[in-house]
Amino acid sequence: MIKLILDDQKIRQQLYPFTLTRSAADIRVGILTIRQKWEKRLGIKVSVDSDAVLDPPGQADLQPVIFAANIIPGKTFIDERTGGHYTPDRLLQQDGLRLLEHPWQIFEFNDWALREDFSLLTKDRASLPIPGSVTAIHPENIFIEPGAVLSHCILNAAAGPIYIGKNAEVMEGATIRGPFALCEGAVVKMGSRIYGATTVGPFCIVGGEIKNTVFFGYSNKAHDGYLGDSVIGEWCNLGAGTTNSNIRNTASPVKVWDMSLAAYVVAGLKCGLLMGDFSRAAINSSFNTGTITGVSANIFGTGLLPKFIPNFSWGTNPPARYDFEKALQDIRNWKKLKNHALSEKEIQLLQLIFDRN
């Protein structure tokens, strides 16, 4: 056995805004977070360097092995168990991994990660039966967890697997193409059109047209509007009619603000919206190509919105400063809708972000 620690100190600023509120190890790519992938594959508890936790039982005397938290492991990166033990040299194989160095790579790697996680989570397990009202294309590539509800929808797994998580729901009229994951407790609303490679994280609600997008968890895009080549953090909300551009009218490379360089850098030909935790957009918001929003921004304004929206922004034309106590109360209101409460640890973290902004 090993004691594995994931170190993200060197990468945190490069993965802004998502590492403002979490370790890089807790970024979701595919079905699972990076930390969960390590834990599932190794069968051990994994810590990050910022964790203030005691060693898990049985690991106190183990020599730690430290990996960069932005390494996304795949099945060929980690060997199978040999005699119930792992050694560092067996982990240092360079095949079958992705190195997450920019926030837009979360959606770029999502196709690969969805396939890896699907194989990992469904190996030697049986799916629930696909309901008779569901039109299933390549049903052998569809896995449904206990408690999931599906009715009169279309699941097309010809181009990639489809994973429906525990207690998730796909409403009637939804059309989904793989690779796709709907995580625990999440909902796809009526008439949605979803293309791969898309991940809808735990307890999210989505609708409208979505393509190649990752929702981390507890966020909503519940109405019509297009969202493509994007990453949405936790506890975000996109108002009805909100749409993003994911490719420039000139089809030239998209540039995105890089916080570590304090400059715009090329992110490729396609990049939509990268939204930090606790941020919300008003109805009919129009996000420009390659937009980054910080944490806890209340976004509204006319026309195409700015490509960079700072933490705790109030509006965009021009942005004002979100009152901190009001921001906390608004977050509490949104959390209450899903039977959660704002923790003291979250308040302290938000205060730190607010003070540094």
Side-chain angles (χ1 to χ4, degrees), residues 42-352:
L42 297 180
I44 62 174
K45 180 71 174 177
V46 172
S47 299
V48 299
D49 58 339
S50 58
D51 280 345
V53 297
L54 298 175
D55 287 315
Q59 292 194 34
D61 298 326
L62 296 176
Q63 184 69 26
V65 175
I66 300 175
F67 277 86
N70 61 320
I71 293 175
I72 308 174
K75 61 180 179 294
T76 58
F77 177 61
I78 301 176
D79 274 350
E80 297 293 331
R81 286 179 188 268
T82 302
H85 296 280
Y86 291 101
T87 56
D89 61 307
R90 290 178 62 78
L91 295 175
L92 289 170
Q93 301 180 69
Q94 295 305 305
D95 294 332
L97 66 87
R98 298 292 187 275
L99 193 63
L100 188 65
E101 298 179 291
H102 305 285
W104 55 84
Q105 289 176 324
I106 297 170
F107 68 77
E108 290 180 346
F109 294 162
N110 205 46
D111 187 300
W112 170 82
L114 279 166
R115 297 172 194 273
E116 291 280 336
D117 288 351
F118 184 88
S119 296
L120 175 64
L121 292 174
T122 64
K123 183 179 179 181
D124 299 326
R125 298 179 62 217
S127 168
L128 286 188
I130 299 172
S133 68
V134 173
T135 299
I137 302 169
H138 282 271
E140 69 278 9
N141 294 332
I142 298 171
F143 193 94
I144 303 173
E145 296 280 8
V149 177
L150 301 91
S151 177
H152 296 89
C153 55
I154 300 174
L155 304 180
N156 184 351
I162 293 177
Y163 176 85
I164 308 298
K166 179 181 177 183
N167 298 328
E169 182 177 6
V170 182
M171 294 182 179
E172 55 271 26
T175 305
I176 297 170
R177 295 174 65 94
F180 171 79
L182 186 67
C183 297
E184 179 179 357
V187 176
V188 175
K189 295 185 73 176
M190 293 190 299
S192 302
R193 293 92 64 208
I194 303 181
Y195 301 83
T198 292
T199 296
V200 180
F203 304 99
C204 291
I205 302 173
V206 299
E209 184 179 6
I210 302 170
K211 172 248 179 188
N212 194 196
T213 291
V214 178
F215 294 82
F216 283 2
Y218 298 95
S219 291
N220 303 323
K221 181 211 172 294
H223 305 288
D224 282 339
Y226 175 72
L227 188 67
D229 301 290
S230 296
V231 183
I232 306 299
E234 292 189 345
W235 298 105
C236 297
N237 190 74
L238 302 179
T242 293
T243 290
N244 79 278
S245 167
N246 65 334
I247 186 169
R248 300 185 67 189
N249 284 347
T250 58
S252 55
V254 179
K255 291 185 177 181
V256 177
W257 181 256
D258 186 313
M259 185 61 74
S260 64
L261 300 175
Y264 283 95
V265 299
V266 172
L269 288 178
K270 289 190 176 183
C271 183
L273 171 63
L274 308 171
M275 177 174 274
D277 292 0
F278 305 114
S279 287
R280 300 172 298 279
I283 62 170
N284 296 320
S285 295
S286 297
F287 284 100
N288 214 329
T289 320
T291 294
I292 283 188
T293 85
V295 168
S296 189
N298 191 358
I299 301 163
F300 54 90
T302 58
L304 278 176
L305 297 168
K307 284 174 62 72
F308 179 75
I309 299 173
N311 301 318
F312 291 95
S313 291
W314 180 270
T316 59
N317 298 127
R321 180 83 153 151
Y322 209 153
D323 177 79
F324 184 69
E325 291 302 323
K326 178 168 176 52
L328 292 186
Q329 186 55 53
D330 292 345
I331 292 170
R332 289 188 182 99
N333 293 342
W334 280 100
K335 283 204 160 199
K336 188 176 181 180
L337 293 176
K338 298 194 179 188
N339 299 314
H340 280 254
L342 187 62
S343 70
E344 187 59 37
K345 183 178 180 180
E346 288 174 316
I347 293 172
Q348 292 173 2
L349 179 58
L350 289 167
Q351 182 73 68
L352 183 63

